[in-house]
Amino acid sequence: GEGVAVKVYGRERLLHIGKSVLSQSKTYRVPYIAWKTITELNLETVLRTKRGSKAGKKLKLVNSENTCTYEHTCTRSQLTGATLNCRSVCNKAISVNDYIVEKHIDFIGLTETWLKDDNSVAKAELVPPGFSLENKSRPGSRKGGGVAIIHKDTLKAKQTATLDFKSFEYIDRTLSCASIHLRIIVLYRPPSSSLAEFLEEFSSLLEFVVVSPGKLVILGDFNIQFGNRQDCYANQFVDVINSFDLIQHVSKPTHTSGHILDLLITRSHEKLAHVCIDEPSFTDHHSVCFKLDQSKPPLPSKVIHYRKLKAIAKDRFIDDIRSSVLISENYDDVDELANA
């Protein structure tokens, strides 16, 4: 048959690739086959942290001339959140469900859900097992809009008092579990609403929530070109969040148009362990995934009752069957037999 081109990487080439990745000061996930090759060539040593592999690992690529360090932080044990503009979950419910499970998300804020109270099928498909849905549909008969929070059942949701605003929709919940106490606000501002009115109303909302106890996370689609210094409203928005000692964490475009529209806001002293932009294939918005400096909630406990089959006395079981009315009596009617 025809020959197959094979690219071979030697020791020096692998070291060069490692240095190139490390010089970018970014976390890089090594594919399994590459990791296996590096290990076989004895190019690495693994250093565990004091807390063990759950807290993190450091991999050193060893070179006689220089020592390069690749750091991989194992953060699956940290509380993971996300926000995503779905542009209607009604025809994407299963895709959103799969995305939550695949990314090990503990809670996610959804905007533009387009859900109505009678969309029971979409709601059922949307929520993974072990999760709950907090939904707020757009009021009235107008289509579109809608905000929601999907969270693990171990994070108990409590509804808080809300205010009415004209320029944006939002849902406000407190999620609690053991030492976890988060106030989550998911916000959607329609592009047609007045930006001047939005800035005024958003300031009113912040006055209401910024004094709340626990951690504060505000996320959603603000439809403001954040970071555009030529946009006066974007600059005013930055001034508003700064005046409340808040910080916005998203620095990369969250829409296919190249703008930062979906935002993640916390108090300035509440650090995030990790923020990344992901690109789901089912919407024109990118998701914002982040990890809080907080452990995941404990797994739920469940009591399961079952019969110990190996402990069954076979002879007594056979006798019970033989003495059963199903055997000892003759039935001519199927209904009578079913009710026996």
Side-chain angles (χ1 to χ4, degrees):
E2 297 181 0
V4 178
V6 178
K7 184 175 288 188
V8 179
Y9 292 92
R11 176 188 177 95
E12 298 302 320
R13 177 58 177 159
L14 287 170
L15 285 169
H16 176 73
I17 294 173
K19 289 181 181 179
S20 299
V21 171
L22 295 167
S23 65
Q24 300 175 12
S25 299
K26 294 181 178 180
T27 300
Y28 182 77
R29 296 186 182 277
V30 179
Y32 171 75
I33 188 64
W35 168 265
K36 184 178 179 182
T37 303
I38 292 172
T39 305
E40 290 174 350
L41 291 175
N42 195 27
L43 299 179
E44 53 79 27
T45 60
V46 175
L47 302 178
R48 296 186 183 275
T49 63
K50 292 181 179 180
R51 293 176 59 191
S53 60
K54 287 186 177 181
K57 294 180 181 178
K58 284 189 178 180
L59 164 69
K60 285 190 176 181
L61 298 179
V62 181
N63 186 344
S64 58
E65 299 178 356
N66 192 13
T67 300
C68 302
T69 303
Y70 160 83
E71 183 173 354
H72 173 234
T73 304
C74 298
T75 55
R76 184 168 290 187
S77 62
Q78 291 172 311
L79 191 67
T80 303
T83 181
L84 176 64
N85 182 316
C86 300
R87 290 281 296 168
S88 176
V89 299
C90 299
N91 59 348
K92 307 182 184 81
I94 295 178
S95 297
V96 176
N97 183 316
D98 291 342
Y99 184 78
I100 294 171
V101 174
E102 178 186 347
K103 298 298 181 180
H104 305 282
I105 291 172
D106 298 301
F107 65 91
I108 184 171
L110 302 178
T111 56
E112 281 205 271
T113 60
W114 297 20
L115 281 174
K116 295 297 183 182
D117 294 336
D118 57 351
N119 292 136
S120 57
V121 174
K123 291 178 182 178
E125 293 177 340
L126 179 64
V127 183
F131 283 74
S132 296
L133 171 67
E134 304 288 327
N135 178 62
K136 186 176 182 180
S137 302
R138 171 172 284 180
S141 59
R142 290 188 305 151
K143 294 182 179 180
V147 288
I149 299 173
I150 299 177
H151 62 90
K152 282 187 174 178
D153 289 338
T154 46
L155 293 170
K156 303 302 181 183
K158 180 181 179 181
Q159 184 172 351
T160 57
T162 57
L163 304 175
D164 292 327
F165 298 108
K166 295 180 180 179
S167 62
F168 63 90
E169 307 168 29
Y170 81 104
I171 185 171
D172 185 354
R173 294 291 186 273
T174 298
L175 302 182
S176 303
C177 176
S179 62
I180 301 172
H181 189 82
L182 301 172
R183 186 162 186 175
I184 309 295
I185 296 176
V186 181
L187 182 150
Y188 172 65
R189 187 192 77 83
S192 59
S193 69
S194 166
L195 277 168
E197 184 179 24
F198 167 73
L199 291 173
E200 182 178 347
E201 292 188 338
F202 185 59
S203 297
S204 300
L205 174 64
L206 293 181
E207 291 175 359
F208 180 63
V209 304
V210 78
V211 294
S212 61
K215 293 190 175 184
L216 175 65
V217 179
I218 304 173
L219 38 78
D221 181 3
F222 287 70
N223 272 308
I224 288 181
Q225 295 184 19
F226 189 87
N228 183 357
R229 296 183 179 180
Q230 306 302 318
D231 189 326
C232 64
Y233 288 113
N235 293 330
Q236 291 178 40
F237 179 78
V238 173
D239 292 338
V240 169
I241 62 176
N242 287 341
S243 67
F244 287 93
D245 196 23
L246 303 175
I247 184 172
Q248 201 287 120
H249 296 272
V250 182
S251 58
K252 295 181 180 179
T254 63
H255 190 266
T256 53
S257 64
H259 300 302
I260 302 176
L261 304 180
D262 304 87
L263 307 181
L264 168 61
I265 300 171
T266 67
R267 295 188 178 95
S268 60
H269 65 274
E270 293 174 351
K271 305 299 182 183
L272 298 181
H274 180 66
V275 179
C276 70
I277 307 301
D278 198 18
E279 301 181 14
S281 59
F282 50 84
T283 178
D284 58 347
H285 282 252
H286 306 330
S287 70
V288 179
C289 294
F290 56 95
K291 293 182 182 294
L292 295 168
D293 191 14
Q294 181 93 46
S295 298
K296 283 181 177 289
L299 295 174
S301 59
K302 184 178 181 180
V303 178
I304 299 176
H305 299 277
Y306 62 95
R307 186 186 300 275
K308 295 182 179 180
L309 297 179
K310 292 184 178 180
I312 294 177
K314 294 182 180 179
D315 294 338
R316 292 179 58 187
F317 181 63
I318 293 173
D319 292 339
D320 288 341
I321 293 177
R322 286 175 175 172
S323 60
S324 170
V325 294
L326 298 176
I327 302 298
S328 60
E329 303 290 339
N330 293 323
Y331 295 95
D332 297 325
D333 184 80
V334 175
D335 294 333
E336 187 180 356
L337 176 63
N339 296 324

